[in-house]
Amino acid sequence: MSPAGRPRAFDVEEVLEAAMLLFWEQGYEATSLAQLRAATGLSSASLYGAFGSKEGLFKQTVEHYMKGPGGTLDVIEDETVSPRVAMAGLLHGSIDMQADTSHPTGCLIALSGTMRAPGEEHTGVRAAVAARREADRVRIRACVERGVAVGELDADVDGATTMIHSFLLGLSTQLRDGVAAATLHTAVDVLLLNWRRA
């Protein structure tokens, strides 16, 4: 709620969507407050009043992304299908989302976090994207464990989890480098050769 109990004069979801697209395309560090103001239509005072800081806006943008495009990962938790089908849905669905031309190519989580040398200034941003990646890794591992338990997969759980998670994170750079989505879909089929069909 804004001062004096007045409702905000802007749509928070629209602001988060605009900020998301900018962070997704350029990354956190390269995105300036001037660009965020232009994209969202808000003044610096309004941005800071609503989100506290550029970092606060970014963190809320990450949550917004996970409820939208980033939600493609949710399929991996569907226990009504076999672990192999869930994993295939995750990987193929992620390629489709990341290659979609209606928004920036790749994955916001994989691309937008700061790569700055360790220091105090952006520790919160690095922590936010690292926590998101770890949460995704945990969900991938649970699916791998389920695959081993039902006899679809005969592999080291840690090794298989790391391979799949690394593949998922690598999709962004592959797509931004111009690798065709069809080639990446074929790579998923190769990756899943170790998984027996239920």
Side-chain angles (χ1 to χ4, degrees):
M1 185 73 72
S2 59
R6 286 175 292 146
R8 288 194 179 110
F10 61 87
D11 186 310
V12 174
E13 292 301 305
E14 289 181 2
V15 168
L16 290 174
E17 182 73 12
M20 177 189 76
L21 295 173
L22 198 55
F23 284 131
W24 193 348
E25 181 62 40
Q26 300 185 164
Y28 177 81
E29 282 190 75
T31 300
S32 69
L33 281 173
Q35 290 172 322
L36 287 167
R37 288 196 306 268
T40 62
L42 298 182
S43 65
S44 293
S46 293
L47 278 173
Y48 278 100
F51 304 103
S53 63
K54 176 184 169 183
E55 180 179 309
L57 173 59
F58 178 77
K59 288 178 178 178
Q60 287 195 42
T61 295
V62 168
E63 296 307 311
H64 177 78
Y65 173 81
M66 293 309 299
K67 293 174 186 173
T72 56
L73 206 75
D74 294 346
V75 68
I76 203 168
E77 296 179 331
D78 184 358
E79 295 191 10
T80 66
V81 299
S82 75
R84 186 185 192 281
V85 169
M87 190 63 72
L90 161 67
L91 296 172
H92 287 298
S94 187
I95 292 167
D96 289 339
M97 182 281 286
Q98 293 190 48
D100 188 340
T101 58
S102 70
H103 53 61
T105 303
C107 168
L108 178 133
I109 304 302
L111 295 170
S112 65
T114 179
M115 294 293 126
R116 189 183 181 96
E120 295 295 324
E121 188 177 0
H122 299 309
T123 54
V125 172
R126 287 195 296 273
V129 290
R132 185 64 260 166
R133 289 192 298 262
E134 178 58 24
D136 294 344
R137 181 182 173 84
V138 166
R139 295 204 282 175
I140 291 168
R141 181 186 174 90
C143 188
V144 168
E145 289 176 336
R146 198 160 63 91
V148 171
V150 301
E152 283 188 357
L153 179 64
D154 180 14
D156 176 80
V157 170
D158 286 335
T161 299
T162 299
M163 176 184 66
I164 293 163
H165 193 217
S166 297
F167 181 94
L168 187 65
L169 291 172
L171 290 173
S172 292
T173 52
Q174 294 284 307
L175 285 162
R176 287 220 169 170
D177 284 348
V179 176
T183 300
L184 295 171
H185 283 300
T186 300
V188 170
D189 295 337
V190 172
L191 186 152
L192 292 174
L193 288 176
N194 289 327
W195 290 65
R196 303 184 192 92
R197 296 186 183 275

